Amino acid sequence: MELTTKLLLAAALVLGAAGAGAGPPRSGPIPIVLDTDIGTDIDDAFALALIMKCPELDLVGVTTVSGDTQARARLAAKLLWTAGGHWREVPVFAGDPGPSQSIEQAQWAEIFSSPALHLSGAVPFLRSIIRRYPGEVTIVAIGELTNIAALLRNDPSVVGDIGRIALMGGSVARGYDPGSPPQPEWNIRSNIAAAREVFDSGIPLIVAPLDVTAMLKLDAAGRQRVFGQSKPLGDALAALYRLWGKETPTLYDPMAVAMLVRQGICRSQRCALIVDKAGQTVVVRDRPTNAVVGLQVDPAAFFAFYMGRVAP
């Protein structure tokens, strides 16, 4: 482990209470846009479920990225529709399609339609919503950063109007497996050029890397608690879980939401974080700090928070 990382981890043990908060406390809910590749892994659906259970957040829209973005948009829109009430009015916009990916969960929503569902227009929507709430909107990015980079390229002046970006991505001191070294993480390496643009933009970042996400395994008891509520949202998550077809979900993406909502959910530190040409997130010393980065987490504390919101 390089010296910079060791110093960061040591500092995090002392300064972890600083949490992920950036700037003064807000008087009302934080307006957010969720940018997601929902439908491949199951954790995006669990993240959207958490957002809907956080009164601290005001979900003003959802955009989809990666592969068949229209299928992903249908899926997100149906999950919101299933939750009922005002969630049915949250607009969902598909981004430009990318290379084909497996999206088994899309079967659940393959013929879904609603007035809130838009099968294109993600980047123009992002621009319009950020201009509507200058300096206030947080983009919660839990997929590759293609849409956000396209937004910055199309309208560089929007940088100053984005409040911050809370993202799941990267790897600072460990990889996917316990004891493994840092490695390029999926959301970053899926579009390295886009990630580099976003990390270099100067927009304040809240980063949930593998260091605080790869160990968040939802065990059988937790799954039963979420799926056994006999409520529409729990039933929907159970259906998507079955289509996903694996046993134990890792809740990578909900940590980006949790860091935004709950200060101190993990030990974190402000630092300068860049993406190198190989897609690795690297802490550097010669730049201004641009990110609050999660470094260590107690999984029990995370799941106490998550279950308390999604399956109380």
Side-chain angles (χ1 to χ4, degrees):
M1 185 184 300
E2 64 176 283
L3 178 60
T4 301
T5 300
K6 289 181 179 179
L7 291 172
L8 270 171
L9 290 172
L13 292 173
V14 177
L15 300 174
R26 295 175 181 268
S27 59
I30 304 166
I32 69 167
V33 175
L34 178 68
D35 188 61
T36 176
D37 60 352
I38 191 170
T40 301
D41 206 346
I42 191 66
D43 54 327
D44 296 74
F46 279 87
L48 181 51
L50 177 59
I51 288 170
M52 289 190 278
K53 297 295 185 178
C54 288
E56 302 92 336
L57 304 177
D58 177 15
L59 182 63
V60 296
V62 176
T63 53
T64 60
V65 66
S66 185
D68 188 344
T69 52
Q70 293 187 357
R72 298 189 194 280
R74 290 189 185 95
L75 181 51
K78 185 175 179 181
L79 193 56
L80 289 162
W81 185 272
T82 300
H86 72 281
W87 299 115
R88 295 183 174 184
E89 301 173 4
V90 174
V92 178
F93 288 82
D96 291 341
S100 178
Q101 295 184 22
S102 176
I103 313 178
E104 288 87 354
Q105 298 164 66
Q107 300 172 51
W108 184 69
E110 59 187 356
I111 60 171
F112 180 78
S113 181
S114 82
L117 173 61
H118 307 269
L119 298 180
S120 63
V123 172
F125 170 75
L126 282 169
R127 183 189 302 110
S128 68
I129 206 73
I130 289 163
R131 294 301 192 194
R132 188 184 307 173
Y133 303 100
E136 297 183 36
V137 173
T138 295
I139 301 173
V140 179
I142 55 175
E144 64 184 61
L145 297 172
T146 302
N147 283 340
I148 302 172
L151 170 67
L152 302 183
R153 287 194 301 271
N154 292 347
D155 185 359
S157 68
V158 81
V159 167
D161 287 334
I162 299 174
R164 54 190 168 177
I165 299 170
L167 65 93
M168 188 279 133
S171 168
V172 175
R174 66 157 280 175
Y176 284 95
D177 299 319
S180 62
Q183 62 192 107
E185 177 274 331
W186 173 261
N187 287 344
I188 302 298
R189 67 183 174 90
S190 293
N191 191 336
I192 296 172
R196 298 186 78 184
E197 289 180 64
V198 172
F199 275 70
D200 291 345
S201 68
I203 299 168
L205 305 175
I206 296 173
V207 181
L210 295 178
D211 306 65
V212 293
T213 60
M215 67 295 298
L216 301 179
K217 310 292 185 180
L218 184 63
D219 61 17
R223 297 194 297 272
Q224 177 58 36
R225 182 170 167 182
V226 173
F227 303 152
Q229 299 179 83
S230 297
K231 295 180 179 179
L233 187 57
D235 292 344
L237 291 174
L240 294 174
Y241 170 78
R242 289 191 294 271
L243 289 169
W244 179 59
K246 302 175 185 178
E247 183 176 3
T248 304
T250 303
L251 301 194
Y252 301 99
D253 292 338
M255 177 56 84
V257 180
M259 287 182 69
L260 184 59
V261 170
R262 179 62 60 88
Q263 292 191 17
I265 191 69
C266 63
R267 298 186 184 278
S268 60
Q269 178 61 33
R270 296 180 184 276
C271 64
L273 198 64
I274 65 167
V275 177
D276 69 17
K277 292 182 180 179
Q280 178 64 57
T281 45
V282 180
V283 176
V284 295
R285 300 182 182 182
D286 59 349
R287 295 193 183 193
T289 59
N290 64 339
V292 174
V293 182
L295 295 175
Q296 291 183 346
V297 67
D298 176 3
F302 168 81
F303 280 111
F305 167 75
Y306 187 88
M307 292 298 183
R309 294 298 181 93
V310 175

